[in-house]
Amino acid sequence: MAAPALERPTTTAGAQTITIAKALNMGLRASLERDPKVLVMGEDVGKLGGVFRITDGLQKDFGEHRVLDTPLAESGIIGTAIGLAIRGYRPVCEIQFDGFIFPGFDQIVSQLAKLHFRSQGKLKMPVVVRVPFGGGIGAVEHHSESPESLFAHVGGLKVVSCSNPVDAYWMLQQAIECDDPVLFFEPKRRYYEKAELDPGTPPVPLFTSRVVRAGSAVTVAAYGPMVRTCLDAATAAAEDGLELEVIDLRTLSPLDLDPVFDSVRRTGRLVLVSEAPGEASVTSEIATRVQQECFYSLEAPVLRATGFDTPYPPSKLEEGYLPDLDRVLDAVDRSLTY
Amino acid sequence: MSPEQWTRPEAEGADGPPAAIAAKPTREQVIAGLRATSEGGADLVQLLTPEGQRVTHPDFDIGVSDAQLRDLYRDMVLVRRADREGNALQRQGQLGIWVPLLGQEAAQIGAGRAMQPQDMAFPSYREHGVAWCRGIDPTELLGIFRGTDHGSWDPNSMRFHLYTIVIGNQCLNATGYAMGQRFDGKVGDPNGEATMVFFGDGATSQGDVHEAMVWSAVYDAPVVFFCQNNQWAISEPIERQTRVPLYRRASGYGFPGIRVDGNDVLASLAVTKWALDECRQGNGPVLIEAFTYRMDAHTTSDDPTRYRLADEQEAWKLKDPIERLRVHLVREQIADQGFFDGVDAGADELAARLRDFCFNMPEPPPERMFSEVYAEDTRQLAAQREDYLKYLAGFADDAMAGGVR
Ligand SMILES: Cc1ncc(C[n+]2csc(CCOP(=O)(O)OP(=O)(O)O)c2C)c(N)n1
């Protein structure tokens, strides 16, 4: 059964300047209000409001049966969410940190991804798995990883990542409304960045990418935390008279590459940016598809600025590991030398 | 200890620990206990001896009418015949693999017949007998093993989930479903709902099974964990999975665990009925260890002569679940030759129907690969389907033009 359609606007509040963290909290609240079948579940999501406080206050207002403080077991969180979905619920699972999703990986790829296909459509799996991901916060190991490509590789899953408060608010509600399992990657190092959100403004569709800054020299595409970095790089480049076009990919599976193709046909150049290691990743996939679609428009090979193909390093080294403004601009410069 | 006491974990403490634990058994004694035959285990619930003698049990006795006894017998014979036919079809190359249930008919029919229509079952992959009780026609199991589908029934309307191959996964899925039953307010009265999940002795080593027991306990989920201890996980014996009898593990999670003679359909029925009722009333979860034996290979790809002794199998033959009920029916004059002949004729018919169905199963069309991957299809997938079908159509043109690939 489908969730009740998003009504717009959902709140009476007007425009406000809020963080991504607050926007996610508001998105969860709106979904919990809209549909009594929506559940929030995870470690510490109740009384504490989650280690990032994304679920702050929800258990107080919706009760322990809607917002579940679970035992400490990721396979348990995903595995029981699957059973609850079979029963007609729409669970939103929180995985505390990226590096801890692996105990739940089996349930995600073996059951969650496949049950719709295996049952020939008789079982729907409207489960959202929220994952605060990525580095740059000086954390200990297992707290800074970018495992999104592993999930994009799995048929039956959908994978998205938000980069700003407006998307955070809407994309989360849209993901909860979706009858397919959605892995929802939240840029944890951007949680406290602010922007203006007007809940009265209608959202863009969930599984689409978007040009967030227009330009004609080089196309730069990124998702999640790297969108901010690319926008900053574009501002810096503009000071030197170079206009970068920045695309926020937003959806990693299914990919929405039409805006990328359009842009590359105009600029002839593409730089892909991600924190995740480049090997066998979402960015490799995009590079392949762009050379298939835009072969005759390309003035330079598709270049990338990504994390290295290593385990995430100790945090004293992460500044070098993570693509920053300079590495993005370096890739842009290399693209322009062809 | 009565079932009432089992529902209160602290009651066990009041009685003091079970004798075996208090005595601090040696490792050898523990293993000996594990290997205890169905006559040997002191805690084993049994209502029908291997000789077909009806015995009573202080806590689990049930009244079963003559007609019900005959039905249970018929169920077991038909399910065994369907299973043997599945095996034969694999040997004839009609099925890629078959997972035999031989020897486990009583455990599965007892548990399956204890379920009410409103209950939900989560099977592993050997639960052909439970499927039968849920109204899944055995023909619907063939596609899984022939490779035409992953299960063709509607899990929601049949209240029987798809077979789960990844060991242990279904225990968590069942627990989540049972949590939903509780959230929906379907627990707490005699007509409430319960969930039963089926898994093997090997599965008890999996984290998911442990997690499911933790979760079901802390959420009071109305779930019956039905472990068929058939002594082997492919070639690994039960001693390779545990140092304590499996049913005892339940006390560590805070709910009752019971070992039942899995070759005794009456005991299996009685204990499972009690456990499901406990769940309905809101006193779940419950762990049942059905002590049984896998008489055939693990699957048709397995070679049990490499790891187990013929002696062991011979000993278990004497405890055959169907034979003991047949002897009982004859001795008590509950069934006559006409009845047995009728059941056998029904079994022959079922086998023939299965064979026929198997020979005539259509291959899935290539577009099935792309269908129902998502509730909301993706453009990429639609494009891949279109490309692939076009590519295939190209060969059809070649064939029509007499072209050679
Ligand atoms: C996670 C996982 N690991 C390994 C296997 C391969 N495998 C299939 S059945 C089996 C043994 C299972 O034994 P048990 O749980 O006792 O169930 P039984 O088949 O005896 O009923 C194994 C190792 C699997 N299906 N899933």
Side-chain angles (χ1 to χ4, degrees), chain A residues 97-217:
Chain A
F97 283 93
D98 34 59
F100 307 135
I101 199 166
F102 299 107
F105 194 72
D106 171 25
Q107 284 283 352
I108 293 174
V109 301
S110 304
Q111 304 303 329
L112 186 62
K114 292 178 179 154
L115 274 169
H116 191 270
F117 181 72
R118 273 165 59 204
S119 69
Q120 309 199 14
K122 293 177 192 100
L123 295 178
K124 302 248 186 294
M125 282 293 122
V127 176
V128 174
V129 183
R130 293 182 37 240
V131 193
F133 84 121
I137 61 165
V140 294
E141 59 178 343
H142 309 294
H143 288 72
S144 301
E145 300 180 5
S146 298
E148 60 276 12
S149 296
L150 296 172
F151 299 96
H153 194 69
V154 177
L157 299 178
K158 290 177 174 172
V159 184
V160 301
S161 182
C162 60
S163 70
N164 61 71
V166 177
D167 276 349
Y169 176 73
W170 283 118
M171 285 171 72
L172 185 52
Q173 292 177 71
Q174 291 165 318
I176 294 168
E177 202 184 32
C178 178
D179 274 339
D180 289 309
V182 179
L183 272 287
F184 194 93
F185 283 92
E186 300 170 0
K188 73 165 90 79
R189 74 156 124 161
R190 308 290 184 209
Y191 268 155
Y192 304 108
E193 290 187 6
K194 288 185 181 175
E196 187 174 278
L197 168 73
D198 179 357
T201 310
V204 292
L206 178 59
F207 300 111
T208 57
S209 54
R210 220 159 58 84
V211 176
V212 289
R213 180 182 173 125
S216 53

Side-chain angles (χ1 to χ4, degrees), chain A residues 73-88:
Chain A
E74 286 72 17
S75 195
I77 293 169
I78 310 292
T80 54
I82 291 166
L84 283 158
I86 296 172
R87 183 71 192 180

Side-chain angles (χ1 to χ4, degrees), chain B residues 56-93:
Chain B
T56 56
H57 187 281
D59 301 316
F60 293 107
D61 221 21
I62 46 162
V64 181
S65 71
D66 288 354
Q68 281 172 314
L69 284 173
R70 286 191 294 266
D71 285 347
L72 290 170
Y73 176 84
R74 182 186 294 108
D75 281 338
M76 290 198 290
V77 170
L78 291 181
V79 160
R80 178 172 289 186
R81 181 63 72 87
D83 178 68
R84 294 300 82 198
E85 191 56 35
N87 229 59
L89 285 166
Q90 193 281 334
R91 293 290 181 241
Q92 292 161 26

Side-chain angles (χ1 to χ4, degrees), chain B residues 14 30 41-42 53 67 71 82 86 116 128 171 174 186 195 210 230 240 265 294 321 327 347 357 372 381 393:
Chain B
V30 169
Q53 210 95 42
D71 285 347
Q116 299 281 332
H128 319 321
C171 293
K186 302 291 186 187
T195 292
H210 168 76
N230 65 12
R240 186 56 73 190
V265 71
R294 153 166 69 73
V327 168
F357 185 90
E372 309 293 359
L381 215 50

Side-chain angles (χ1 to χ4, degrees), chain B residues 125-126 165-167 200-203 206 230 232-234 294 298:
Chain B
Y125 45 72
R126 200 187 293 282
I165 310 276
V166 185
I167 298 295
D201 42 294
Q206 282 282 355
N230 65 12
W232 294 94
I234 311 187
R294 153 166 69 73
H298 170 73

